[in-house]
Amino acid sequence: MEQYAIKGGNPLVGEVEIGGAKNAALPIIAASIMTDESVQVDNIPDVRDTNVLLDAMQEIGVMIKRNNRHSVSINASQVHDYVVDGDNIRKIRASYYFIGALLAKYKNAEVALPGGCDIGCRAIDQHIKGFRALGAEVVIEYGLIKAHAERLRGSHIYMDVVSVGATINIMMVAAMAEGTTIIENAAKEPHVVDLANFLNSMGANIKGAGTDVIRIKGVHSLHGTEYAIIPDQIEAGTFMFAAAITKGDITVKNVIPKHLESITAKLLEIGCEIEESDDAVRVVAAKPLRHTQVKTLPYPGFPTDMQPQITVALALSTGTSIVTESIFENRFKYVDELIRMGANIKVEGNTAIVNGVAKYTGASISAPDLRAGAALVLAALAAEGYSCVEDIHYIQRGYEDFHLKLQSLGAQIEKVDSGRDMQKFKLKIG
Ligand code: EPZ
């Protein structure tokens, strides 16, 4: 099994190029099947989740041409099946976007129940409520969600919780339903806006994405397009916190600073210096980190996908910090691993009480999920001595070339296959 071998202690310094947003790429790739014409999608991150989605599309007859590592042309004129099932697709969360896309275009979809990181119960009731409101019959049987409609009709839908996935799925179906749909209490994340822009570039009529009321006038058909995905807010935020955690100086390039405001605000609060330009943000951590309080919230609040990274930083700050996780109930699993590295953190329900320590020390740890995995790597890069991070397949779901980008910032990190390789790494680094 692949692992990261890490020797910590170097401040990370330099520039890093941020790739396309995974959580925008996933719905956009799925929504490409909503037209029979060809769609070119650029700036796709080359990560496991996007590749699993593209492979699943090929299995139902979608033609995929890889133009280069980050660009694909997708043509769905020969789709021969509305059933998306398989070992890999069952493991990812975004499989649910096939329900919206297939239901919109073919009024029929049968898709494996979503998997994804084990960070909480991750209900799909709001997706189902939306599909039903738009005229679909939905049942769950034999591990599949089956949605079928004679006609899809616009509706007024009030979301009981702010859900990224449900907002996106309802938007997809409503884009091709008869009449107007209004989604109230919609998610406002940048990737919701990106999907709306993508669908509009295919001829959809969606207004208000990025606010909590989205209005969609259904159209009969969509056409081909060429579209580039927005930069990844969370990849950028992870590298920004890498600067804070390792006391470094990192410029994240190719970003939209507006999307990073809640992250930037917390970094300033804990004592980092920030320089912003049109498409880059520099984070310098020259002073000791200060404690703070943070609560994860839907956008524009502080993202749950950045909660482990900020906790890793706060655990190295002076004083006591409080971190409250309000989106997913099971997102503190990495804390036990961090404690093995010397952190002083107590979790009570959805709150972590973080007492700052002067340093981490290296340990063997394993990644419990994608973002926590990345955060633990950052902890290991700050730690004194060697660490081994296992289960890095989680990290590969969502970070392209993570260790290579870290290496380019001066990190001593390598991908290894065994305990023996770990020994070789130690001998090499010395
Ligand atoms: C998306 O998950 C992201 N995944 C997650 O990123 C991210 O953490 C999350 O949004 C929040 O920003 C993808 O985009 C593929 P939600 P999603 O529906 O859509 C509850 C990462 O690391 N809920 O916004 O599944 C739910 O339980 C991942 O990249 C319902 O109750 O999240 C949660 O408490 C992990 N009923 C809250 O809403 C529903 O029908 C927000 O979930 C749907 C959600």
Side-chain angles (χ1 to χ4, degrees):
M1 288 292 253
E2 286 183 330
Q3 307 159 353
Y4 286 140
I6 294 172
K7 184 174 184 202
N10 284 358
L12 299 191
V13 177
E15 296 181 346
V16 63
E17 195 81 31
I18 300 305
K22 169 188 79 99
N23 289 344
L26 295 167
I28 286 173
I29 290 169
S32 302
I33 63 182
M34 289 166 64
T35 173
D36 280 343
E37 295 180 19
S38 289
V39 168
Q40 181 177 320
V41 187
D42 297 330
N43 207 29
I44 297 182
D46 182 13
V47 294
R48 214 191 69 191
D49 278 14
T50 52
N51 290 321
V52 166
L53 216 63
L54 287 165
D55 290 348
M57 281 162 66
Q58 272 179 317
E59 283 170 25
I60 59 167
V62 179
M63 286 174 282
I64 307 278
K65 184 171 149 260
R66 294 190 187 252
N67 305 317
N68 59 50
R69 193 177 179 198
H70 299 124
S71 167
V72 292
S73 296
I74 298 171
N75 184 294
S77 56
Q78 309 289 324
V79 167
H80 52 66
D81 204 348
Y82 316 125
V83 183
V84 185
D85 196 6
D87 288 346
N88 287 334
I89 201 74
R90 267 182 240 132
K91 289 182 195 142
I92 72 167
R93 186 77 188 156
S95 57
Y96 57 33
Y97 291 138
F98 285 132
I99 314 170
L102 290 168
L103 183 62
K105 185 160 172 226
Y106 301 105
K107 301 193 174 58
N108 252 322
E110 296 192 13
V111 178
L113 274 164
C117 286
D118 179 14
I119 52 181
C121 101
R122 310 197 74 178
I124 52 162
D125 56 300
Q126 298 303 305
H127 301 241
I128 293 174
K129 169 177 157 168
F131 297 146
R132 286 187 176 141
L134 294 167
E137 280 170 36
V138 186
V139 291
I140 297 180
E141 44 184 33
Y142 307 111
L144 296 171
I145 305 174
K146 300 181 178 177
H148 162 80
E150 294 298 327
R151 284 174 75 179
L152 292 165
R153 291 199 184 91
S155 180
H156 196 137
I157 302 168
Y158 188 91
M159 312 283 293
D160 302 317
V161 292
V162 180
S163 161
V164 171
T167 302
I168 286 179
N169 247 336
I170 295 169
M171 235 167 32
M172 288 201 268
V173 180
M176 296 188 82
E178 297 165 32
T180 300
T181 297
I182 297 173
I183 310 175
E184 307 244 21
N185 200 24
K188 297 182 283 223
E189 269 67 3
H191 31 293
V192 173
V193 180
D194 211 30
L195 189 262
N197 289 340
F198 171 73
L199 289 172
N200 284 343
S201 79
M202 295 167 84
N205 186 343
I206 303 174
K207 295 202 169 109
T211 74
D212 39 29
V213 183
I214 303 180
R215 286 186 169 73
I216 304 149
K217 273 193 194 150
V219 296
H220 184 64
S221 64
L222 297 173
H223 54 71
T225 187
E226 208 177 305
Y227 193 84
I229 287 168
I230 51 165
D232 197 309
Q233 172 206 18
I234 305 300
E235 186 194 18
T238 302
F239 281 101
M240 288 163 76
F241 266 91
I245 292 164
T246 65
K247 311 220 175 323
D249 175 350
I250 298 178
T251 302
V252 292
K253 294 176 72 179
N254 182 33
V255 296
I256 300 174
K258 173 95 191 130
H259 294 169
L260 301 169
E261 275 174 352
S262 63
I263 296 165
T264 306
K266 282 293 159 197
L267 284 164
L268 282 170
E269 239 174 79
I270 64 174
C272 295
E273 289 155 41
I274 307 275
E275 275 173 32
E276 265 181 30
S277 60
D278 284 351
D279 63 354
V281 178
R282 179 178 176 200
V283 181
V284 185
K287 297 185 215 125
L289 300 180
R290 289 194 295 262
H291 64 99
T292 190
Q293 302 202 1
V294 61
K295 181 175 183 180
T296 62
L297 287 169
Y299 189 84
F302 192 84
T304 172
D305 292 347
M306 287 298 303
Q307 181 262 102
Q309 298 88 318
I310 194 170
T311 305
V312 166
L314 294 176
L316 288 176
S317 73
T318 51
T320 301
S321 303
I322 309 283
V323 180
T324 309
E325 172 57 60
S326 79
I327 311 289
F328 292 112
E329 70 276 13
N330 203 8
R331 228 173 178 178
F332 281 123
K333 284 196 298 185
Y334 64 91
V335 164
D336 285 344
E337 303 297 284
L338 212 50
I339 289 172
R340 289 155 58 78
M341 301 178 81
N344 180 353
I345 303 175
K346 193 164 171 229
V347 176
E348 283 181 6
N350 69 343
T351 301
I353 301 147
V354 185
N355 290 301
V357 294
K359 63 170 189 193
Y360 293 133
T361 48
S364 264
I365 47 181
S366 67
D369 62 66
L370 163 61
R371 306 301 173 187
L376 288 171
V377 168
L378 302 186
L381 288 169
E384 209 172 86
Y386 291 93
S387 294
C388 170
V389 182
E390 290 175 8
D391 289 333
I392 62 170
H393 56 95
Y394 284 115
I395 301 170
Q396 291 162 350
R397 293 179 83 133
Y399 289 91
E400 179 181 309
D401 294 342
F402 193 46
H403 69 292
L404 299 180
K405 289 187 180 183
L406 290 167
Q407 274 174 10
S408 76
L409 297 167
Q412 291 180 306
I413 176 169
E414 268 179 30
K415 195 153 73 176
V416 299
D417 271 324
S418 63
R420 237 175 78 198
D421 288 349
M422 182 74 198
Q423 289 310 321
K424 279 194 210 151
F425 173 78
K426 284 186 180 170
L427 285 173
K428 191 169 98 186
I429 302 287

